[in-house]
């Protein structure tokens, strides 16, 4: 503004003298004399003094002087008068500082907290409060800082970390010792979320690393109490619940502000070094289970048969109690029928007559399939 006021003042002086930028506008002399006409900027100035012989301030010096608010003209005299109503250099500095102050307060004092977020407020590095969702106002930075924490997101950590395994090529974190002195290779994941933003931000220096260390410790402790069959079979669900409970207890003692949502065992198998032997053991175990199942089925069949025979005996015994003589004779006939049906015999019908018995021909012969041309039996002899 000071520079503009200087140019306005110069234009007003030229207008009062009725001269153009090169001299008076009434003459026609192009040589630059006093007789009128616009001066030639390359001609000799009035008074006969060649241009450049009188030292004076340059345009750059005049610009710097006016920027400093000193005013001043080209002749080395006092400062030029300021245009009425124009702000001074000091006022311009005050306005600039005020604009910066308002922008600083607006950018660092108003905070937009999302529905799933919470704002942790620290005053000079010390915890002050937790901001709820909405537009919140605090003192400006750096006195007050607000850290936004997402409390609704479900975070998932996998074990072992895929990136670290690829980088180092080390998979020993996956190998764990069971209670029956076997080694199992486990892949699992942990789901968690932030339950207390204040504790999560201030109680633990590295929450993510603490969570991973806690998960590995809890999983190894639970696997050490389980057998190999439980780790790779039906016992995995119970192991997941135990690991989740153990992790939550440890993190609560740390005041970590973390809630464990679940643990999932994604894979459980024998190490690659003993995979072939483990397959053979698994096949033998499956064969043993199959044999045990067949034996149990046979035992159930024998037991059912014995129970049926016992029930039949109970029925016969009830009849025997009602008529002992008749029942005894009936049992005798049934028994003799079963015995005689399996042996060779000769029946003589006429008493006191001894017929001819062809003893060599009465030997047991191999069974012959019955046919229409079969010879009739000898009368009086039953086979």
């Amino acid at each position: 503004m000071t520079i503009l006021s200087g140019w306005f003042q110069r234009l007003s002086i030229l207008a009062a003298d009725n001269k153009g930028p090169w001299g008076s506008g009434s003459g026609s002399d192009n040589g630059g004399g006093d007789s009128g006409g616009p001066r030639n900027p390359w001609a000799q100035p009035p008074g006969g003094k060649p241009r450049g012989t009188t030292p004076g301030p340059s345009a750059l010096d005049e610009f710097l002087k006016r920027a400093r608010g000193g005013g001043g003209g080209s002749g080395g005299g006092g400062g030029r008068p300021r245009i009425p109503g124009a702000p001074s250099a000091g006022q311009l500095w005050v306005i600039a500082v005020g604009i910066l102050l308002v922008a600083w307060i607006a950018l660092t004092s108003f905070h937009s907290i999302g529905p799933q977020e919470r704002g942790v407020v620290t005053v000079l590095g010390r915890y002050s409060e937790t901001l709820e969702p909405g537009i919140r106002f605090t003192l400006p930075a750096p006195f007050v800082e607000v850290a936004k924490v997402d409390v609704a997101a479900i975070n998932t950590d996998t074990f072992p970390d895929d990136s670290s395994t690829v980088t180092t090529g080390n998979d020993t974190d996956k190998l764990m010792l069971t209670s029956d002195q076997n080694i199992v290779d486990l892949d699992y994941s942990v789901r968690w979320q932030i339950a207390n933003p204040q504790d999560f931000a201030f109680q633990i220096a590295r929450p993510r690393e603490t969570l991973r260390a806690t998960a590995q410790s809890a999983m190894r402790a639970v696997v050490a109490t389980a057998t190999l069959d439980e780790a790779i079979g039906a016992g995995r669900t119970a192991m997941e619940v135990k690991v989740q409970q153990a992790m939550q207890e440890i993190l609560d003692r740390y005041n970590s502000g973390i809630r464990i949502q679940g643990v999932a065992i994604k894979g459980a198998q024998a190490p690659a070094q003993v995979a072939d032997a483990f397959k053979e053991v698994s096949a033998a175990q499956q064969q043993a289970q199959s044999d045990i199942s067949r034996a149990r089925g046979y035992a159930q069949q024998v037991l059912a048969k014995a129970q049926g025979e016992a029930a039949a005996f109970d029925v016969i015994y009830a009849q025997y109690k009602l008529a002992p003589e008749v029942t005894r004779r009936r049992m005798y006939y049934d028994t003799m029928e079963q015995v005689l049906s399996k042996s060779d015999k000769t029946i003589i019908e006429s008493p006191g007559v001894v017929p001819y018995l062809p003893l060599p021909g009465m030997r047991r012969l191999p069974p012959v399939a019955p046919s229409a041309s079969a010879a009739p039996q000898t009368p009086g002899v039953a086979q």
Side-chain angles (χ1 to χ4, degrees), residues 325-383:
E325 185 63 26
V326 177
T327 305
R328 187 184 300 110
R329 186 176 296 276
R330 180 62 183 173
M331 293 177 63
Y332 174 77
Y333 290 157
D334 292 341
T335 303
M336 292 304 295
E337 182 180 1
Q338 293 178 2
V339 172
L340 295 176
S341 63
K342 300 178 182 178
S343 62
D344 298 334
K345 51 193 173 293
T346 301
I347 300 175
I348 300 175
E349 298 179 353
S350 300
V353 178
V354 179
Y356 170 74
L357 299 177
L359 296 179
M362 295 178 63
R363 292 179 300 177
R364 180 179 293 275
L365 299 176
V368 179
S371 60
S373 60
Q377 297 180 354
T378 304
V381 179
Q383 296 293 335

Side-chain angles (χ1 to χ4, degrees), residues 70-87:
S74 59
R80 298 183 182 273
R82 184 170 59 89
I83 299 176

Side-chain angles (χ1 to χ4, degrees), residues 109-330:
S109 297
F110 292 93
H111 308 279
S112 177
I113 309 298
Q116 74 282 1
E117 296 177 336
R118 299 294 183 272
V120 180
V121 181
T122 55
V123 178
L124 298 178
R126 185 173 183 178
Y127 172 76
S128 175
E129 61 178 336
T130 300
L131 300 179
E132 296 297 326
I135 304 298
R136 305 299 175 183
F137 176 79
T138 62
L139 294 177
F143 307 103
V144 174
E145 295 183 358
V146 177
K148 298 180 181 180
V149 179
D150 193 343
V151 298
I154 303 297
N155 305 283
T156 302
D157 279 18
T158 58
F159 299 85
D161 191 359
D162 297 336
S163 60
S164 63
T165 303
V166 173
T167 303
T168 61
N170 186 12
D171 58 351
T172 56
D173 293 341
K174 303 169 56 178
L175 303 180
M176 301 183 185
L177 186 65
T178 61
S179 61
D180 53 356
Q181 305 301 316
N182 287 311
I183 298 177
V184 62
D185 188 351
L186 285 181
D187 292 329
Y188 58 99
S189 62
V190 177
R191 302 185 307 277
W192 59 278
Q193 69 176 151
I194 301 173
N196 190 322
Q198 175 184 352
D199 292 342
F200 182 80
F202 294 100
Q203 293 295 329
I204 301 178
R206 293 181 293 273
R208 198 69 173 265
E209 297 179 6
T210 302
L211 174 71
R212 296 187 63 85
T214 303
Q216 293 178 356
S217 176
M219 180 60 74
R220 291 184 180 276
V222 172
V223 172
T225 61
T227 64
L228 180 62
D229 294 338
E230 293 174 348
I232 65 177
R236 292 166 56 176
T237 303
M239 292 173 57
E240 294 171 352
V241 175
K242 292 180 180 179
V243 173
Q244 179 179 353
Q245 294 175 352
M247 288 186 62
Q248 193 63 61
E249 292 177 359
I250 296 173
L251 294 174
D252 289 344
R253 289 199 300 268
Y254 292 163
N255 294 326
S256 62
I258 297 175
R259 180 184 298 112
I260 302 300
Q261 297 294 336
V263 178
I265 298 178
K266 299 185 295 184
Q269 61 274 345
Q273 295 82 352
V274 295
D276 296 337
F278 182 78
K279 291 179 180 178
E280 295 178 358
V281 172
S282 299
Q285 291 177 349
Q286 293 176 1
Q287 183 64 34
Q289 292 294 333
S290 178
D291 295 341
I292 292 174
S293 299
R294 287 198 299 268
R296 289 176 178 174
Y298 177 75
Q300 291 177 357
Q301 292 178 0
V302 173
L303 180 61
K305 183 178 180 181
Q307 290 176 351
E309 293 177 352
F313 180 81
D314 292 339
V315 173
I316 296 175
Y317 179 71
Q319 296 177 359
Y320 176 79
K321 290 172 58 178
L322 296 175
E325 185 63 26
V326 177
T327 305
R328 187 184 300 110
R329 186 176 296 276
R330 180 62 183 173

